[in-house]
Amino acid sequence: MPILVAPTIIGPPETPDGPGWPPYTNSMPKVSFTDPTGLVTMLTDWERGWVVQTGAKGLDMPTYAFSQDESPGIDGYEIREVRALGKDIILPIAFWANDSRQAYLQRRRQFIRSVNPKRGPGILTLTQPDGAVRTIGAIYAGGLEGDESRDAAGERWCINVITFACPKPHWIGGEVTTEWRSAVDTEFFPFLPLSVGDSQVLGEVAVDNDGDDDAYPIWSVTGPATGVTLSNSTTGESLALTRSIDEGDEIVIDTRQRRQSALLNGVTNLWPNIDDDSSMWGLAPGLNDLALAVDGSSADTAVRMTYQPRYLAA
């Protein structure tokens, strides 16, 4: 019988009347899987019969693909583009039930139903001992086919090496939201050197992206306004949209890759109102110097930015 990762444990007992499970301590991250319906299975819950074994793979950097140019008669090549690929995360998981074979099978079957890939992708969440939380979209790829060999399963326990495919390679941090709103005394807040005139909100602000890669924000502009220009001086990119909106109207510009959109009040497509030379820019890692301008603004105008940092490692 295999040795589980716990102090002085040599596998769980084979009979329902055996001793209870001893205390379990582990400095590894806590791991959970959230299925498409929102059901959360905590995979590091020793008292309830789950523990991620040593040997997890794929928790850090993804693999990269390079587009390259070669020239006749010249040694080597030039890197033209670098792209992170999707990856697999492999988790050796032991689980069991204290009371009966029936309870063990019920738990196993419930988990199998939860990870059914035909239901769509779920979310793996890792919580480090220091409290840092990272998530990544994941879909079951293999490992629960069933293995009843002596070293893999018993009456009320089993060990499976489960593979999750992750189409997007980055771990995602929690949402960061900042709102800039004009006040009646013609000053912008909070803590920003922005000035508000009769027709334009204009100012510069520094935003610190804690992630390891570009983070793509969702912008929300609450009217009144006749146009908005959002510029990232650090990357040299700008996004401009011209459209008159009334007080209470809301423009939402989503710059996230594969989700890009621009909507008025969640319905009207504003993509034709975006200037041709605009780009759906992201926040580079570290400090970003931004310039925000809203034409036709008033004291009721507000600009809000929400983004999630993207990390290369959990």
Side-chain angles (χ1 to χ4, degrees):
M1 190 175 297
I3 299 177
L4 300 184
V5 183
T8 67
I9 302 299
I10 307 179
E14 288 290 349
T15 58
D17 57 354
W21 310 120
Y24 173 73
T25 57
N26 191 357
S27 60
M28 295 291 289
K30 293 181 179 179
V31 183
S32 67
F33 177 76
T34 305
D35 74 7
T37 68
L39 176 66
V40 178
T41 301
M42 180 60 68
L43 301 177
T44 43
D45 192 343
W46 179 258
E47 275 107 17
R48 290 179 174 83
W50 297 88
V51 62
V52 175
Q53 303 278 270
T54 56
K57 297 180 180 179
L59 301 183
D60 290 335
M61 288 190 71
T63 302
Y64 288 86
F66 300 91
S67 297
Q68 59 194 49
D69 292 326
E70 299 184 10
S71 301
I74 300 178
D75 297 334
Y77 56 85
E78 291 289 336
I79 298 294
R80 181 161 45 88
E81 184 181 61
V82 180
R83 181 172 61 91
L85 303 179
K87 63 180 179 179
D88 290 341
I89 292 178
I90 301 173
L91 299 176
I93 299 174
F95 62 101
W96 58 89
N98 259 342
D99 41 10
S100 67
R101 170 77 174 177
Q102 181 180 2
Y104 157 75
L105 290 175
Q106 182 179 3
R107 170 176 294 165
R108 180 179 177 85
R109 289 164 181 162
Q110 181 179 5
F111 183 58
I112 287 174
R113 184 183 303 115
S114 177
V115 298
N116 181 356
K118 285 190 174 182
R119 303 174 65 200
I123 297 173
L124 278 176
T125 301
L126 267 68
T127 304
Q128 298 286 359
D130 64 0
V133 177
R134 305 280 189 268
T135 63
I136 192 168
I139 190 167
Y140 168 82
L144 287 170
E145 295 81 6
D147 184 356
E148 296 296 326
S149 59
R150 180 178 178 83
D151 290 336
E155 181 185 353
R156 295 179 292 112
W157 65 276
C158 71
I159 297 176
N160 296 115
V161 180
I162 302 176
T163 299
F164 291 97
C166 302
K168 297 181 180 179
H170 298 95
W171 291 92
I172 305 300
E175 284 191 352
V176 179
T177 299
T178 305
E179 181 173 292
W180 300 276
R181 179 181 293 273
S182 57
V184 294
D185 59 357
T186 70
E187 290 183 356
F188 225 28
F189 67 88
F191 313 117
L192 300 175
L194 303 180
S195 60
V196 180
D198 293 336
S199 62
Q200 186 179 69
V201 176
L202 178 65
E204 297 179 352
V205 60
V207 174
D208 189 3
N209 172 16
D210 179 62
D212 305 318
D213 210 325
D214 291 351
Y216 292 88
I218 300 174
W219 294 94
S220 172
V221 180
T222 302
T226 58
V228 55
T229 301
L230 310 168
S231 302
N232 188 333
S233 302
T234 299
T235 64
E237 297 174 289
S238 183
L239 170 60
L241 183 149
T242 303
R243 176 67 180 248
S244 295
I245 61 173
D246 297 326
E247 180 181 343
D249 285 340
E250 182 182 44
I251 293 173
V252 176
I253 305 173
D254 191 339
T255 70
R256 292 176 297 176
Q257 295 173 324
R258 294 191 173 92
R259 300 185 184 181
Q260 295 176 349
S261 64
L263 294 174
L264 172 61
N265 297 330
V267 177
T268 305
N269 179 24
L270 297 182
W271 203 264
N273 299 97
I274 297 177
D275 290 1
D276 292 339
D277 57 351
S278 293
S279 62
M280 293 287 192
W281 53 263
L283 298 166
L287 285 175
N288 291 254
D289 294 321
L290 309 184
L292 314 177
V294 181
D295 297 327
S297 64
S298 76
D300 296 309
T301 302
V303 177
R304 183 170 65 251
M305 178 188 66
T306 299
Y307 70 95
Q308 291 181 278
R310 302 197 301 173
Y311 300 92
L312 295 175

